[in-house]
PDB file of all heavy atoms in Angstrom:
ATOM      1  N   ASP V 263     101.983  92.666  61.241  1.00  0.00           N
ATOM      2  CA  ASP V 263     101.744  93.994  60.522  1.00  0.00           C
ATOM      3  C   ASP V 263     100.861  93.717  59.363  1.00  0.00           C
ATOM      4  O   ASP V 263     100.361  92.570  59.082  1.00  0.00           O
ATOM      5  CB  ASP V 263     103.072  94.582  60.152  1.00  0.00           C
ATOM      6  CG  ASP V 263     103.895  93.808  59.141  1.00  0.00           C
ATOM      7  OD1 ASP V 263     103.248  92.924  58.455  1.00  0.00           O
ATOM      8  OD2 ASP V 263     105.069  93.978  59.074  1.00  0.00           O
ATOM      9  N   GLU V 264     100.555  94.742  58.578  1.00  0.00           N
ATOM     10  CA  GLU V 264      99.546  94.622  57.505  1.00  0.00           C
ATOM     11  C   GLU V 264      99.905  93.553  56.483  1.00  0.00           C
ATOM     12  O   GLU V 264      99.076  92.707  56.193  1.00  0.00           O
ATOM     13  CB  GLU V 264      99.433  95.987  56.756  1.00  0.00           C
ATOM     14  CG  GLU V 264      98.181  96.059  55.968  1.00  0.00           C
ATOM     15  CD  GLU V 264      98.069  97.433  55.210  1.00  0.00           C
ATOM     16  OE1 GLU V 264      98.586  98.427  55.760  1.00  0.00           O
ATOM     17  OE2 GLU V 264      97.596  97.389  54.100  1.00  0.00           O
ATOM     18  N   GLU V 265     101.138  93.538  56.052  1.00  0.00           N
ATOM     19  CA  GLU V 265     101.606  92.537  55.059  1.00  0.00           C
ATOM     20  C   GLU V 265     101.560  91.138  55.535  1.00  0.00           C
ATOM     21  O   GLU V 265     101.093  90.230  54.934  1.00  0.00           O
ATOM     22  CB  GLU V 265     103.062  92.964  54.713  1.00  0.00           C
ATOM     23  CG  GLU V 265     103.836  91.945  53.828  1.00  0.00           C
ATOM     24  CD  GLU V 265     103.266  92.024  52.383  1.00  0.00           C
ATOM     25  OE1 GLU V 265     102.396  92.832  52.098  1.00  0.00           O
ATOM     26  OE2 GLU V 265     103.599  91.043  51.676  1.00  0.00           O
ATOM     27  N   GLN V 266     102.032  91.034  56.868  1.00  0.00           N
ATOM     28  CA  GLN V 266     101.974  89.675  57.523  1.00  0.00           C
ATOM     29  C   GLN V 266     100.518  89.198  57.579  1.00  0.00           C
ATOM     30  O   GLN V 266     100.256  87.976  57.431  1.00  0.00           O
ATOM     31  CB  GLN V 266     102.746  89.721  58.818  1.00  0.00           C
ATOM     32  CG  GLN V 266     104.175  89.920  58.711  1.00  0.00           C
ATOM     33  CD  GLN V 266     104.838  90.370  59.995  1.00  0.00           C
ATOM     34  OE1 GLN V 266     104.160  91.018  60.874  1.00  0.00           O
ATOM     35  NE2 GLN V 266     106.139  90.099  60.187  1.00  0.00           N
ATOM     36  N   TYR V 267      99.669  90.112  58.059  1.00  0.00           N
ATOM     37  CA  TYR V 267      98.300  89.785  58.245  1.00  0.00           C
ATOM     38  C   TYR V 267      97.680  89.368  56.907  1.00  0.00           C
ATOM     39  O   TYR V 267      96.989  88.333  56.858  1.00  0.00           O
ATOM     40  CB  TYR V 267      97.462  90.985  58.786  1.00  0.00           C
ATOM     41  CG  TYR V 267      95.984  90.713  58.872  1.00  0.00           C
ATOM     42  CD1 TYR V 267      95.523  89.750  59.759  1.00  0.00           C
ATOM     43  CD2 TYR V 267      95.132  91.452  58.114  1.00  0.00           C
ATOM     44  CE1 TYR V 267      94.130  89.512  59.870  1.00  0.00           C
ATOM     45  CE2 TYR V 267      93.823  91.224  58.160  1.00  0.00           C
ATOM     46  CZ  TYR V 267      93.328  90.247  59.016  1.00  0.00           C
ATOM     47  OH  TYR V 267      91.970  89.959  59.113  1.00  0.00           O
ATOM     48  N   ARG V 268      97.944  89.963  55.896  1.00  0.00           N
ATOM     49  CA  ARG V 268      97.397  89.654  54.504  1.00  0.00           C
ATOM     50  C   ARG V 268      97.849  88.301  54.173  1.00  0.00           C
ATOM     51  O   ARG V 268      97.117  87.400  53.704  1.00  0.00           O
ATOM     52  CB  ARG V 268      97.868  90.721  53.500  1.00  0.00           C
ATOM     53  CG  ARG V 268      97.043  90.752  52.207  1.00  0.00           C
ATOM     54  CD  ARG V 268      97.796  91.558  51.139  1.00  0.00           C
ATOM     55  NE  ARG V 268      99.161  91.250  50.936  1.00  0.00           N
ATOM     56  CZ  ARG V 268      99.655  90.165  50.437  1.00  0.00           C
ATOM     57  NH1 ARG V 268      98.786  89.216  50.014  1.00  0.00           N
ATOM     58  NH2 ARG V 268     100.902  89.918  50.330  1.00  0.00           N
ATOM     59  N   MET V 269      99.124  88.014  54.315  1.00  0.00           N
ATOM     60  CA  MET V 269      99.695  86.687  54.017  1.00  0.00           C
ATOM     61  C   MET V 269      99.054  85.684  54.827  1.00  0.00           C
ATOM     62  O   MET V 269      98.716  84.515  54.302  1.00  0.00           O
ATOM     63  CB  MET V 269     101.289  86.639  54.204  1.00  0.00           C
ATOM     64  CG  MET V 269     102.001  87.397  53.169  1.00  0.00           C
ATOM     65  SD  MET V 269     103.655  87.716  53.642  1.00  0.00           S
ATOM     66  CE  MET V 269     104.313  86.080  54.003  1.00  0.00           C
ATOM     67  N   ALA V 270      98.908  85.899  56.146  1.00  0.00           N
ATOM     68  CA  ALA V 270      98.345  84.883  57.010  1.00  0.00           C
ATOM     69  C   ALA V 270      96.884  84.577  56.587  1.00  0.00           C
ATOM     70  O   ALA V 270      96.480  83.367  56.469  1.00  0.00           O
ATOM     71  CB  ALA V 270      98.259  85.448  58.456  1.00  0.00           C
ATOM     72  N   ILE V 271      96.068  85.565  56.263  1.00  0.00           N
ATOM     73  CA  ILE V 271      94.593  85.335  55.873  1.00  0.00           C
ATOM     74  C   ILE V 271      94.557  84.504  54.536  1.00  0.00           C
ATOM     75  O   ILE V 271      93.802  83.647  54.415  1.00  0.00           O
ATOM     76  CB  ILE V 271      93.900  86.650  55.823  1.00  0.00           C
ATOM     77  CG1 ILE V 271      93.799  87.199  57.230  1.00  0.00           C
ATOM     78  CG2 ILE V 271      92.529  86.428  55.223  1.00  0.00           C
ATOM     79  CD1 ILE V 271      92.951  86.373  58.266  1.00  0.00           C
ATOM     80  N   THR V 272      95.489  84.965  53.605  1.00  0.00           N
ATOM     81  CA  THR V 272      95.505  84.173  52.365  1.00  0.00           C
ATOM     82  C   THR V 272      95.710  82.675  52.550  1.00  0.00           C
ATOM     83  O   THR V 272      95.031  81.840  52.036  1.00  0.00           O
ATOM     84  CB  THR V 272      96.641  84.684  51.501  1.00  0.00           C
ATOM     85  OG1 THR V 272      96.546  86.142  51.351  1.00  0.00           O
ATOM     86  CG2 THR V 272      96.582  84.121  50.068  1.00  0.00           C
ATOM     87  N   GLU V 273      96.730  82.471  53.514  1.00  0.00           N
ATOM     88  CA  GLU V 273      97.031  81.079  53.742  1.00  0.00           C
ATOM     89  C   GLU V 273      95.837  80.349  54.482  1.00  0.00           C
ATOM     90  O   GLU V 273      95.540  79.200  54.091  1.00  0.00           O
ATOM     91  CB  GLU V 273      98.244  81.009  54.631  1.00  0.00           C
ATOM     92  CG  GLU V 273      99.174  79.780  54.285  1.00  0.00           C
ATOM     93  CD  GLU V 273     100.384  79.825  55.290  1.00  0.00           C
ATOM     94  OE1 GLU V 273     101.174  80.739  55.218  1.00  0.00           O
ATOM     95  OE2 GLU V 273     100.537  78.787  55.880  1.00  0.00           O
ATOM     96  N   LEU V 274      95.229  81.041  55.424  1.00  0.00           N
ATOM     97  CA  LEU V 274      94.160  80.385  56.122  1.00  0.00           C
ATOM     98  C   LEU V 274      92.923  80.144  55.146  1.00  0.00           C
ATOM     99  O   LEU V 274      92.183  79.182  55.423  1.00  0.00           O
ATOM    100  CB  LEU V 274      93.733  81.234  57.356  1.00  0.00           C
ATOM    101  CG  LEU V 274      94.783  81.216  58.497  1.00  0.00           C
ATOM    102  CD1 LEU V 274      94.306  82.264  59.545  1.00  0.00           C
ATOM    103  CD2 LEU V 274      94.907  79.837  59.146  1.00  0.00           C
ATOM    104  N   LYS V 275      92.810  80.958  54.202  1.00  0.00           N
ATOM    105  CA  LYS V 275      91.693  80.811  53.269  1.00  0.00           C
ATOM    106  C   LYS V 275      92.036  79.681  52.307  1.00  0.00           C
ATOM    107  O   LYS V 275      91.203  79.393  51.397  1.00  0.00           O
ATOM    108  CB  LYS V 275      91.455  82.095  52.475  1.00  0.00           C
ATOM    109  CG  LYS V 275      90.645  83.084  53.364  1.00  0.00           C
ATOM    110  CD  LYS V 275      90.201  84.217  52.515  1.00  0.00           C
ATOM    111  CE  LYS V 275      89.235  85.084  53.257  1.00  0.00           C
ATOM    112  NZ  LYS V 275      89.340  86.517  52.934  1.00  0.00           N
TER     113      LYS V 275
END
Side-chain angles (χ1 to χ4, degrees):
Chain V
D263 64 22
E264 195 183 331
E265 172 69 9
Q266 292 162 332
Y267 173 65
R268 197 193 49 71
M269 282 166 58
I271 293 296
T272 308
E273 214 181 301
L274 288 173
K275 283 188 171 150

